[in-house]
Amino acid sequence: MGTVEETGFFQDPPRLRDEWEDDLALQRYLARALPPDVHAEVVPSLAEMGHLAATDLKAWSDTMDDPANEPRLRPFDAWGRRVDEVETAPAWRRIADVAHERGVVATGYERTHGEHSRLHQFALAYLFNPSSALYSCPLAMTDGAAKTLLVHGDRELIDRAVPRLTSRDPATAWTSGQWMTERPGGSDVGRTETVARAEGPLWRLTGTKWFTSAVTADMALTLARPEGNGPGGRGLAMFYVEVRDEQGRLNDLRVLRLKSKLGTRQMPTAELALDGTLAHLVGPPADGTRNIAPMLTVTRLWNAVTAASGLRRGLALARDYARRREAFEGALIDRPLHQATLAWLRVQHEASLQLAFRAVELLGRDEAGVATEREQQVLRLLLPVTKLTTGKQAVAGASEALEAFGGAGYIEDTHLPVLLRDAQVLPIWEGTTNVLSLDVLRALGGGETLRAYVEEVRRAGAAATSAPLATVAKLAVDAADHAAIWVAQALDAGPQAVQHGARRLSLTLGRALQAALLAAQAQHDLDVHGDGRGVAVAQRFAAEGLDLLEVPGEGRATDAALARDEPLPAPDA
C-alpha cells in the first residue's frame, strides 16, 4: 500500500508536441513572406527542427537547467599548471552539434535562396532557441563575427575563420565570442581601458574584459585602444583574437572567474585578463565602435528573434497546461479570465514575431544587394527599435506565462522559471533599452531615415483593406506620423527634451510598425484562409495603445526631481 505522498492527485506537467506544427503564427508568416517554391523547399528543415525542439533538444536543455550541470571553471591541472578550462555538460555539446548540422548559422551564408536565406536561417534559429540552453547566444556572436569579417574584407582572416564560423561539420565548426564590456564602461565602450601594442604585423592586448559571453568560443572580436590613440570610441580599434593556439594553450589570457548570473546560467560567461594576448587588427586602427557595428546588427537581430521565440514557448506551455489543469470545477482553459491572459500572451508573441522577422527580411535583401535605399534607411532605424521593443515584451510575457502556472511557475525543477530568468537579459545585453533609444536618435540623422520608417508603416498598413483592419492600420500610421511631428518639436525644444522622450519615441515607432504588420498579416489570413483570428490579434494589440509620446519636455523637471529625490513645489489648487 502506498504512502500518503505516493497517492492522491498529481498534476500533469505541460508538454510540447511539435514546435513547427503548433506554431500557426510562424507558418502563416512564412507562407506570406516566401515565394511558394522557396517555402516548399525550406519547410522540411523547419519541420525537422520543430520536432527536435519539442523532443531531444528540450530534454537536453532541461538537464542543463540543473545547477549540477552548469559550467565550471578548472583553473589548474593536477600538476599545478594553469589551464583555465571551462567544463560544460555533455548536453551542451549535443545541442551544439544539432545547431551546426542543421545550419542554424550556415544557412544564412550558403545563400541557397538568395534574399530569402536569412528568413530561412532565422526561422531555424527561432525554433531552435527555446530548447537550446542558450546555445543561441554563441551562435548569434558567431553569425555576427562572420558578417563583420566579410564586411571588412581582410582576405587572410576571411579565409581562416569564415569557413569555420559557417561550417555544418561539428568537428570543424567554430563559435565566436564578443569581448566589449569593461569595468569603467559598460554600455559606454568609449571608456575601454584595454591597450593594444603593435608587434610587427600583429598586436598584443593588455587589459580586463569584465563580461565575456561564451568563453568557450574558438575566437572573439574585441575592442582595444592602440597606444597613442585618443580617448573615446574613435580612439578604439577592433581586433580578431583566437582563444587558444594549435596545442590548446590559452592565448596569453586568464579566465579570472565565471560570472554568477540571474539567468543564462547554462552558458559560460567569464571575466578575462588579457596579458599580451596576440591579436589581428580588423579594419583601420581607429573608429572601433563603428567598425564593430556589423556584429551588433546581427546580434541585436538574434536578440529580437530570441525574444519572439521565448514568448512563443511561454504561450505554448501555458496553453497546454491550461488544458490539463482542473480548477474551480473545470479546465483552466475554459475560464474566461484565464482565456484573456492566454489571448494577451498570443498577441505579444505575434507582434514580436512580425517586427523581428520584418527586420530579418530587410537584412536578407540588403545582403543580397536588392534592397532599395529606402529599405536600407528603414533597416538602420528598425534594428534598435526592434531589439528594444521585443526585449521589453519578452520580459512581460515571460512573467505572465509563469503566473499562469501558479506556484508551479515558481519552482525551479519544473523548468519554468528559466523562461523569466533568461528573458530578463534580452533588454540588457547588446544595449539596454535606454542605450538603444539613444541609438534610435542617432539613426534619425537629418530626418530622411525617419521619413522612410513612416513610409514603411504606411506601406504595411496599406495591405489592410477590410474595414476593421483598415482602422488598425490608420491608428498605426497616425502614431508614426505623430512620432515624426514630435521629433521636430522636440528638436526645437532642445537636446534635453529629445533625450528625455527617446524611450517613448522608440517604443511608439516599434508599436506602430507592429500594429501595421499585424494588420497586413491578418488581411492575408482573411484572404487566403478565411480566418479572422489575425484580425482579433491586430485589434487587441492596437487597443493596448500605440502612441506613447508626451509633449516634448513635459514632465522633464518632475522626473529629474523624482530621480534625485528632491522636493517639488505644491501644485496649484
Side-chain angles (χ1 to χ4, degrees), residues 329-414:
E329 300 180 352
L332 204 55
I333 193 73
D334 296 327
R335 299 293 152 196
L337 187 56
H338 200 71
Q339 290 169 348
T341 301
L342 294 178
W344 180 87
L345 277 170
R346 177 179 184 153
V347 169
Q348 307 315 304
H349 163 240
E350 295 195 23
S352 293
L353 183 149
Q354 289 292 330
L355 190 64
F357 276 92
R358 178 55 183 161
V360 172
E361 283 184 66
L362 291 178
L363 177 65
R365 288 182 56 77
D366 183 54
E367 291 179 339
V370 298
T372 66
E373 182 180 355
R374 273 314 212 202
E375 287 175 329
Q376 291 172 333
Q377 291 171 331
V378 171
L379 181 61
R380 171 66 188 94
L381 183 54
L382 183 57
L383 285 166
V385 165
T386 299
K387 192 274 186 186
L388 71 85
T389 302
T390 58
K392 300 303 274 187
Q393 289 170 325
V395 176
S399 179
E400 283 288 354
L402 258 63
E403 190 176 342
F405 293 93
Y410 204 67
I411 304 302
E412 285 287 358
D413 55 6
T414 62

Side-chain angles (χ1 to χ4, degrees), residues 103-119:
V104 180
V105 171
T107 299
Y109 293 86
E110 293 164 348
R111 302 274 173 88
T112 303
H113 300 295
E115 67 178 275
H116 307 294
S117 297
R118 281 293 193 180
L119 279 178

Side-chain angles (χ1 to χ4, degrees), residues 128-157:
F128 171 82
N129 165 71
S131 296
S132 73
L134 261 292
Y135 197 78
S136 53
C137 176
L139 294 180
M141 293 183 291
T142 300
D143 191 348
K147 180 175 178 65
T148 303
L149 293 175
L150 288 168
V151 166
H152 285 284
D154 186 317
R155 180 46 55 186
E156 180 183 355
L157 293 180

Side-chain angles (χ1 to χ4, degrees), residues 432-450:
T432 63
T433 304
N434 284 353
V435 166
L436 286 159
S437 297
L438 296 177
D439 195 22
V440 166
L441 296 183
R442 284 188 289 272
L444 296 179
E448 280 303 309
T449 300
L450 182 55

